[in-house]
Amino acid sequence: MKELFGLMKFGTKSALWAAIINTIVAILKTAAYLITGNVAMFAEMMHSFGDAANQFFVFIGSALSKKEPTERFPGGFGRLVNLVLLGAVLIVGVLAYETIVEGIHHISNATHSEDWFWLNMGVLGTSALLEMAVLYKAMKEITEHLPKEQIQGFKLIPESYKHVKDAKPASKLVFLEDNVAVGGALLAMVAIVVATYTPFHSATGYASIIIGVALIFVVGRIFMDNAAGALGVADVKMQARMGARILQHPHINDIQDLDVIKEGESLHVELKVEVDPHMTIKEADEIRNYIEKKIKEAVDNVTDVIIEFDDDDDVDTWSQISNGDQK
């Protein structure tokens, strides 16, 4: 148990904050829904409960994935965060379904009501502001590897969207879910205004369906990304960066193979390099140290590096591999 609590400090901070804030927001929305019976508030309530549960599991999973390898699990626990996220999307999927069903039901039974207008608007406005704070933290995590001048002020927003595909799994989930959360709260506010002050009383039902569909999109995106992560997906861009650095050594003639596999938030590297067959063990050891140093200069989240040596076959294998990757 002591080890478990010790690992918690390595969990994704944006996921923890998102879980806490979404729990508070969900409670506020639940109270508002029970008082007003507004279907758009119901959709937002379900969304917030789903986000809170999801992000709590994500925080736990991202922390446990940092556990050191054991004799039973020598490959480490890096992919645990992917497995946790695969389970978490099931929760969002069920809540998305319920949200869509409730929206369809409201469209067929829409009634005009001006009751509790300001309560609904106040709760949703507060929720949107709180969700924006979490979204900002997720944006900071996604862009933390970029130069400070590149993410100053409002530059942070487009840069976070540009680099979200390369973000850590937990940060990506928080980012996508909070985009839907902020957009959903604003959409629900618009729907309530329309339903209250125009004859289009079913607007909140349509808003509920749109929010549910957006949640399904998030479920699909997160599921695909983490299914690939759980199986073990290659980081092609990182392979190219590492290969270029490794070949800078004058005694490394070629790279026969280089695999950079994502293990959750970490990377596992395996490579085979070609060298002079008459090289001494001491020289090979120096090359091994050089390769490990260059790899860790390229990226700081490498868990292990496995290096094999082979004699030079006078075939430029790495150029062929690199050109194939680019195609």
Side-chain angles (χ1 to χ4, degrees), residues 130-208:
L130 291 173
E131 297 285 8
M132 284 178 187
V134 177
L135 182 58
Y136 174 77
K137 187 162 184 63
M139 287 178 173
K140 293 284 285 184
E141 285 187 357
I142 289 170
T143 57
E144 63 185 0
H145 64 287
L146 299 176
K148 288 186 178 180
E149 61 273 10
Q150 195 173 333
I151 56 174
Q152 285 181 343
F154 290 106
K155 293 180 182 177
L156 174 71
I157 298 173
E159 289 297 327
S160 63
Y161 283 93
K162 182 179 176 182
H163 291 88
V164 66
K165 61 181 180 297
D166 301 318
K168 296 176 182 177
S171 299
K172 184 186 292 186
L173 181 136
V174 173
F175 178 82
L176 291 175
E177 285 194 340
D178 277 281
N179 266 283
V180 177
V182 172
L186 297 176
L187 177 62
M189 291 173 72
V190 172
I192 290 171
V193 171
V194 172
T196 303
Y197 294 109
T198 73
F200 187 40
H201 306 316
S202 59
T204 52
Y206 286 101
S208 180

Side-chain angles (χ1 to χ4, degrees), residues 263-274:
E263 299 276 356
E265 297 177 4
S266 302
L267 297 174
H268 167 81
V269 181
E270 294 185 20
L271 72 155
K272 182 184 285 189
V273 295
E274 294 182 4

Side-chain angles (χ1 to χ4, degrees), residues 7-19:
L7 288 169
M8 290 303 104
K9 64 184 179 182
F10 298 113
T12 303
K13 299 300 184 291
S14 64
L16 177 61
W17 278 108

